[in-house]
Amino acid sequence: MSEEKYKILLVDDEVDILEFISYNLEKEGFKVYTAQNGAEAIKVAEKKVPHLIILDVMMPEMDGIAACEELRKIPALQSCIIAFLTARGEDYSQIAGFEAGADDYITKPIRPKVLVSRVKALLKRTGGSSTAAAAPVENTNTLAIGDLVIDKERYLIKMNGEEMILPRKEFELLSLLVSKPGKVFTREEIYYSVWGDNVVVGDRTIDVHIRKLREKIGNDHIKTLKGIGYKFVE
């Protein structure tokens, strides 16, 4: 798989950081686009439909959290990977990022080789496809259970007839749980299936995504088994 077919959007208000990261990614063969604030990032993303967006958190006009929330509302970007690149490594900012729909978190400063490695690991989540992010690599079938219908082709769900578009990781987590109703998925199984074994995420990442899903489909369907994991019930 040639890296030159992958499109990456970098968003940061510091020009030197954009130039530094762009240089190292372009050297590896990636196609790189840049933006200096969240509002500009949304315009570029809608036009270019990147496979990966790397967002700074603190930016003028529109910060990374707000931009991520808006990006996740765009159907063509539902399978796009979004990662935050920031010097802020506190838990609260990471949780805010995941709640906004981010897939991962990268703390700067970061060595070029490590950054490239993380980018390649993130892009593996696209299923090895270099086609535009608007075409997720999923089965085209739907999965129905009770009042819930999961449309894997369009990355949306229907709950009691109401359509909802979920952020990518929320969708993948719900699809995993619904794939085997009643089965208890351990936290380790969820990490591996949804985030992959080559990506490190925070301890509260699953909890945040579960909470967001419960807000959307109700509290009765996803049960917690303390110290073990989660299961889906009708």
Side-chain angles (χ1 to χ4, degrees):
M1 174 51 235
S2 176
E3 271 76 9
E4 65 186 9
K5 295 184 180 179
Y6 280 118
K7 296 179 287 185
I8 301 173
L9 172 59
L10 302 177
V11 190
D12 199 301
D13 60 326
E14 297 184 43
V15 177
D16 57 340
I17 291 179
L18 287 179
E19 292 178 348
F20 172 75
I21 297 177
S22 295
Y23 170 77
N24 284 283
L25 293 179
E26 288 173 344
K27 190 168 63 172
E28 293 293 320
F30 296 107
K31 178 63 177 176
V32 180
Y33 304 97
T34 62
Q36 292 185 302
N37 59 64
E40 183 184 356
I42 292 171
K43 293 179 181 178
V44 176
E46 286 183 308
K47 183 177 180 180
K48 301 299 183 181
V49 193
H51 300 88
L52 169 65
I53 300 175
I54 301 177
L55 278 169
D56 187 29
V57 172
M58 303 300 293
M59 294 183 293
E61 293 191 41
M62 178 185 286
D63 64 26
I65 302 295
C68 184
E69 290 176 340
E70 292 304 312
L71 288 165
R72 283 304 185 207
K73 296 176 183 177
I74 301 172
L77 299 174
Q78 284 307 299
S79 64
C80 175
I81 299 292
I82 298 179
F84 280 111
L85 177 68
T86 179
R88 296 176 60 182
E90 302 94 334
D91 285 344
Y92 73 85
S93 59
Q94 292 188 19
I95 292 171
F98 286 126
E99 289 187 334
D103 298 291
D104 205 356
Y105 217 91
I106 303 172
T107 303
K108 59 183 180 184
I110 185 169
R111 296 190 303 276
K113 288 184 178 180
V114 176
L115 174 64
V116 170
S117 177
R118 290 295 299 277
V119 165
K120 289 181 178 179
L122 287 168
L123 287 170
K124 285 182 179 179
R125 302 183 193 179
T126 65
S129 171
S130 61
T131 55
V137 183
E138 294 286 343
N139 294 326
T140 58
N141 63 325
T142 59
L143 181 62
I145 178 169
D147 295 325
L148 176 66
V149 177
I150 297 178
D151 187 332
K152 294 185 177 181
E153 185 177 41
R154 296 191 292 161
Y155 265 73
L156 61 78
I157 68 170
K158 290 181 182 179
M159 190 67 187
N160 296 319
E162 179 184 353
E163 287 191 356
M164 289 181 280
I165 295 177
L166 301 181
R168 182 187 178 102
K169 290 305 166 188
E170 287 181 30
F171 183 88
E172 292 179 355
L173 174 54
L174 180 60
S175 297
L176 175 67
L177 296 176
V178 174
S179 68
K180 295 182 179 180
K183 168 182 166 56
V184 178
F185 288 89
T186 66
R187 296 177 69 87
E188 291 74 18
E189 285 179 296
I190 294 172
Y191 274 130
Y192 180 82
S193 298
V194 178
W195 280 271
D197 59 354
N198 53 6
V199 177
V200 178
V201 295
D203 290 339
R204 296 191 61 188
T205 301
I206 291 179
D207 303 326
V208 169
H209 284 71
I210 290 290
R211 179 163 62 81
K212 298 296 286 186
L213 285 174
R214 283 172 171 160
E215 290 174 358
K216 293 167 182 173
I217 68 171
N219 294 319
D220 298 331
H221 295 293
I222 300 177
K223 301 297 183 182
T224 302
L225 279 79
K226 193 172 182 180
I228 302 175
Y230 299 92
K231 68 177 180 179
F232 184 90
V233 297
E234 289 189 59

